[in-house]
Amino acid sequence: MRSRRLVVSAAAIVAAVVGVLPGTAQAADPSAPAVRQVTKPADPKKVGASNFRTFTSGADKSTRKAASGAARAAGVAATGNPDLQVALSATNTGAHSLQLWAEVTSADAALEVTVSWGDGKVEKLAASGSAQLLPEHTYAEVGEYTIKVGVNDVANKVYIENEVTVETSGSEFTPYEPTRLLDTREGFRAPKAKVAPYGSARVKIGGYGTIPAGVRAVVLNVTVTNTTSAGHITAFDTGNQRPNASNINFEPGQTVPNLVVVPVGNDGSVDLYNAGWESVDLIADITGYFMPKAANGYTPMDPTRFVDTREGLGTTKGQVPGQTSFGTQIAGLRGVPQGVKAVALNVTVTGPKEAGHLIVYPGGGKIPLASNVNFTAGQTVANSVIVPVGADGSINIRNNAWAGADVVVDVVGHYSPAGKGAFMPLSPMRWLDTRDPEGAISGAYGPIAGRGFLAVPFFPEDGAVTAYVLNTTVTNTAGGGFLSVAPDPNSVAQYEKGTAVTPARPGASSLNWTKGKTVPNLVQASGGQNGIVDFWNQGWEKTDLVVDISGYYENPVIKP
């Protein structure tokens, strides 16, 4: 059934534009921003079901003992209730949670059932005779646990026990020194040849360097270059069907980077598919990976500006000279706590004097053989970056061109041992496509008006989900502009009742475009308190928007 769409008139607001858009007037809006809201309640547990597993231990694994307490001390033989057994089956229901199914086979007797969840928590249940018990549990940390279930028949003086080892479905982040994993131009970990049209380059992740086998997802900065026709690149987990999604869109002669957070196949690899008409070169640099064990959880933030060389924010005022690096403090400032291990950024270069690229790397670290933002003279380009933070809480940014450029950095989240958000990878899927009458999953159709925004619910009914990993692409751009992505303060119910308030216009930019261009960028978007994300067209002309989702972050919800 098609999702219901609701057009809401918003109260007028006046907001200055503080995103990066050279040459565009910074005037107040002539009228209220046009808002379209799409109601699409979704169950993240069903969406993520492909990542869920079931762990079992059959009834025959039950061990039989004398009843606990006085009977065991007295050496009473365990002869009563001879068929007493318990079969165990546990299935993931979220990043940190699971449903246990304990099927007890017993004579007609009162039973005391004890569930030890493996994290120090114990639950007491009661049963009478054969029964099916369905307790649920949420772990504070992702990882592997052994659940033990004991069944005590006091009257018949017998006790049985069974256990099952489980693994949570969520993963946490381990930063990795920015490292090149693939370069088809040089024949590095691939044939020295362009990737053929409708062909793929395979990148081995698990087992490379210090990256362990069993890695669930990886953060790569993927760059396409030496392009001779238009096309796009799709990153996906090896062994699975290639999704209807794109990560990088390019035109002839362009060099385009984009960050991808992509699931890793069972063989430890990722495929990069060239959907263009001509061959291209591909480069991939890693900055981190996700494993199903406690490491660094994610905490989203409203996009917050940390660096603007045009204003002297976070560094010296003025363009960064060519072949020069500068450091900027991240930890302990503007809501980012001390102790963070990595940070999620949106990095924008504007007004460069000539072509080049930016490199973002940890404070105190060596300049890596990697690139994060590629640009040509005069271009304004944004790219997402996830980068380890140095021991002093800083990062470095290098202008690797030979002439100056301005740099803007917005922080959208951070990873730390204290962070609670575990990553749930999804095979990339199209969530929104304003060009498509069917509207992909969300049901939206028609371009976003200039200075307007589209409010899109993702998982509005699940307060545990805090952020989404999205690849956003603008196309059919009628003029220059930039996209801002921010959480919506309203609930779905407020939109449906007509009581929603107009959100404040965001100041950070997620991607920039010029007329007629198709531009992608990864966005790690906070859903705020209501699971709704606003996509703002900050230009003055309409644009179409495509959004693909490749994962989400989920916090544990511990019941008292």
Side-chain angles (χ1 to χ4, degrees):
M1 185 174 67
R2 284 290 304 276
S3 300
R4 179 182 176 188
R5 292 188 295 159
L6 184 65
V7 179
V8 181
S9 60
I13 61 171
V14 176
V17 180
V18 291
V20 182
L21 185 58
T24 300
Q26 307 290 301
D29 289 336
S31 61
V35 55
R36 303 211 322 273
Q37 188 270 343
V38 183
T39 301
K40 177 63 178 78
D43 184 351
K45 308 303 186 277
K46 293 179 181 177
V47 174
S50 62
N51 195 45
F52 295 165
R53 297 166 59 194
T54 297
F55 310 86
T56 61
S57 182
D60 60 328
K61 302 294 184 182
S62 301
T63 58
R64 186 177 177 87
K65 303 173 183 178
S68 58
R72 178 178 295 177
V76 177
T79 57
N81 200 349
D83 297 324
L84 184 62
Q85 291 180 315
V86 60
L88 303 179
S89 178
T91 301
N92 300 126
T93 57
H96 303 82
S97 58
L98 56 79
Q99 173 87 64
L100 177 66
W101 179 72
E103 183 174 20
V104 179
T105 301
S106 173
D108 187 12
L111 305 174
E112 299 172 348
V113 181
T114 302
V115 181
S116 299
W117 292 102
D119 60 351
K121 302 294 179 63
V122 177
E123 189 169 348
K124 300 285 189 179
L125 304 170
S128 180
S130 295
Q132 293 181 354
L133 304 175
L134 300 169
E136 297 180 68
H137 189 66
T138 299
Y139 294 96
E141 287 283 2
V142 299
E144 186 176 273
Y145 298 90
T146 297
I147 302 172
K148 295 183 179 181
V149 176
V151 182
N152 190 20
D153 179 349
V154 177
N156 289 294
K157 300 181 176 62
V158 63
Y159 173 86
I160 60 103
E161 188 174 85
N162 198 354
E163 65 181 46
V164 60
T165 299
V166 301
E167 188 176 65
T168 57
S169 60
S171 301
E172 292 194 357
F173 182 72
T174 298
Y176 201 84
E177 192 79 16
T179 303
R180 184 140 294 172
L181 294 186
L182 174 77
D183 191 340
T184 61
R185 303 169 304 176
E186 305 294 333
F188 181 63
R189 303 188 73 216
K192 188 177 181 179
K194 285 185 170 184
V195 179
Y198 312 113
S200 296
R202 183 157 296 176
V203 186
K204 181 68 172 177
I205 307 296
Y208 178 82
T210 60
I211 305 170
V215 60
R216 287 213 178 141
V218 64
V219 178
L220 297 175
N221 196 71
V222 179
T223 303
V224 60
T225 190
N226 296 327
T227 59
T228 55
S229 71
H232 68 266
I233 304 298
T234 298
F236 63 101
D237 41 340
T238 301
N240 276 343
Q241 183 176 358
R242 177 168 49 86
N244 176 30
S246 63
N247 296 98
I248 306 175
N249 295 70
F250 56 87
E251 296 179 357
Q254 279 191 321
T255 295
V256 184
N258 198 14
L259 194 73
V260 301
V261 181
V262 61
V264 175
N266 291 333
D267 69 346
S269 300
V270 167
D271 281 345
L272 305 177
Y273 176 78
N274 173 21
W277 290 91
E278 303 286 346
S279 299
V280 300
D281 276 311
L282 291 173
I283 304 162
D285 304 315
I286 184 174
T287 61
Y289 57 87
F290 293 88
M291 286 287 291
K293 58 179 61 176
N296 298 286
Y298 184 66
T299 303
M301 296 172 54
D302 287 354
T304 303
R305 187 143 295 174
F306 270 62
V307 173
D308 190 337
T309 60
R310 302 167 303 175
E311 306 294 334
L313 175 64
T315 188
T316 305
K317 184 176 181 179
Q319 289 200 327
V320 183
Q323 299 296 301
T324 300
S325 298
F326 71 90
T328 190
Q329 187 70 20
I330 297 293
L333 296 177
R334 302 183 186 91
V336 177
Q338 297 287 355
V340 297
K341 302 301 182 183
V343 63
L345 313 171
N346 200 70
V347 179
T348 303
V349 62
T350 188
K353 301 300 184 186
E354 64 173 38
H357 64 269
L358 298 182
I359 303 173
V360 186
Y361 58 104
K366 296 185 297 184
I367 302 171
L369 177 63
S371 64
N372 297 99
V373 185
N374 294 66
F375 51 86
T376 57
Q379 199 177 23
T380 296
V381 183
N383 197 25
S384 287
V385 175
I386 297 175
V387 63
V389 174
D392 62 353
S394 73
I395 62 170
N396 290 335
I397 301 172
R398 178 175 176 82
N399 175 13
N400 220 40
W402 291 96
D406 278 307
V407 176
V408 179
V409 178
D410 299 315
V411 175
V412 300
H414 49 83
Y415 299 88
S416 74
K420 299 299 183 183
F423 181 60
M424 294 287 286
L426 302 173
S427 184
M429 67 183 77
R430 185 135 296 173
W431 195 270
L432 169 71
D433 189 342
T434 61
R435 306 166 302 176
D436 184 356
E438 296 301 318
I441 291 177
S442 71
Y445 177 57
I448 306 174
R451 308 296 290 164
F453 70 98
L454 184 63
V456 180
F458 282 82
F459 305 147
E461 297 178 356
D462 194 310
V465 177
T466 60
Y468 312 96
V469 180
L470 312 172
N471 197 71
T472 58
T473 304
V474 294
T475 190
N476 300 326
T477 51
F482 66 93
L483 183 76
S484 294
V485 182
D488 193 299
N490 303 288
S491 66
V492 169
Q494 286 174 296
Y495 274 110
E496 291 176 339
K497 294 176 182 178
T499 59
V501 298
T502 302
R505 186 176 294 278
S509 59
S510 297
L511 64 85
N512 297 69
W513 67 87
T514 55
K515 182 178 180 179
K517 297 297 184 181
T518 296
V519 182
N521 198 14
L522 181 134
V523 176
Q524 295 212 134
S526 169
Q529 298 296 315
N530 301 299
I532 302 175
V533 180
D534 293 338
F535 297 88
W536 289 78
N537 172 9
Q538 302 278 36
W540 296 90
E541 305 290 341
K542 65 183 180 181
T543 185
D544 276 310
L545 177 66
V546 181
V547 177
D548 299 320
I549 184 171
S550 60
Y552 57 92
Y553 294 94
E554 183 178 338
N555 284 359
V557 178
I558 308 296
K559 296 179 180 179

